Amino acid sequence: MPSICKRKSSSFRVLTVATSTWCQKNDGIIRKDFDGVHEDGSYRWALQTAGGIYHEQRGRFEQDSTTPANFLVEGQFQYTAPDGEVINVLYKADKSGFVASGDHLPTPPPVPEEIQKLIDHLATQEPPTDY
């Protein structure tokens, strides 16, 4: 796991420096907390600017007895859009991919009633066994 930790550590440092540099050019940093990268690959950091930008992130390896180690990253960021709306995004990235959520993100339309009835009906049926 040490070689994986080194790669994650390098990526983390690049992201941290890039975020910090961008904030410094455009806004004063009022909070900058960093904890890690630790020997186990875990880390935690948070940045906040005087202009209302906030970003925090944490990462760690997850492992159980049946799967190889998986790196999990969770975080959130917040800023005010040009129209005055406060944008808050929560995110998670792991072996399944990147998933973000926020009130401003589009959501799929509701399933039409006819389709939902068919889905409900199919859920009550036994799966076929003649394949």
Side-chain angles (χ1 to χ4, degrees):
M1 196 155 57
S3 64
I4 293 173
C5 290
K6 284 182 183 177
R7 274 186 270 140
K8 295 293 182 187
S9 174
S10 298
S11 299
F12 167 73
R13 286 187 186 121
V14 169
L15 176 63
T16 301
V17 170
T19 302
S20 181
T21 301
W22 182 84
C23 289
Q24 288 174 345
K25 287 181 181 177
N26 296 296
D27 208 354
I29 295 176
I30 60 174
R31 178 180 171 204
K32 184 168 44 172
D33 299 329
F34 295 94
D35 179 26
V37 173
H38 300 283
E39 287 294 319
D40 64 357
S42 65
Y43 67 89
R44 176 183 284 259
W45 60 264
L47 287 171
Q48 185 174 2
T49 70
I53 297 171
Y54 178 74
H55 191 170
E56 70 174 309
Q57 186 179 96
R58 60 204 160 279
R60 62 185 162 80
F61 281 98
E62 287 188 325
Q63 187 170 9
D64 60 35
S65 60
T66 62
T67 60
N70 172 49
F71 201 73
L72 170 67
V73 175
E74 296 175 299
Q76 68 174 329
F77 60 89
Q78 179 178 306
Y79 64 94
T80 303
D83 65 0
E85 179 183 7
V86 176
I87 304 295
N88 188 30
V89 177
L90 301 171
Y91 61 88
K92 179 179 179 178
D94 61 13
K95 65 183 175 187
S96 300
F98 179 85
V99 178
S101 63
D103 292 341
H104 67 290
L105 297 175
T107 58
V111 176
E113 183 180 341
E114 298 80 17
I115 302 296
Q116 187 61 54
K117 284 180 182 178
L118 178 60
I119 291 170
D120 294 342
H121 171 72
L122 291 174
T124 65
Q125 302 301 303
E126 291 290 324
T129 57
D130 59 346
Y131 47 89

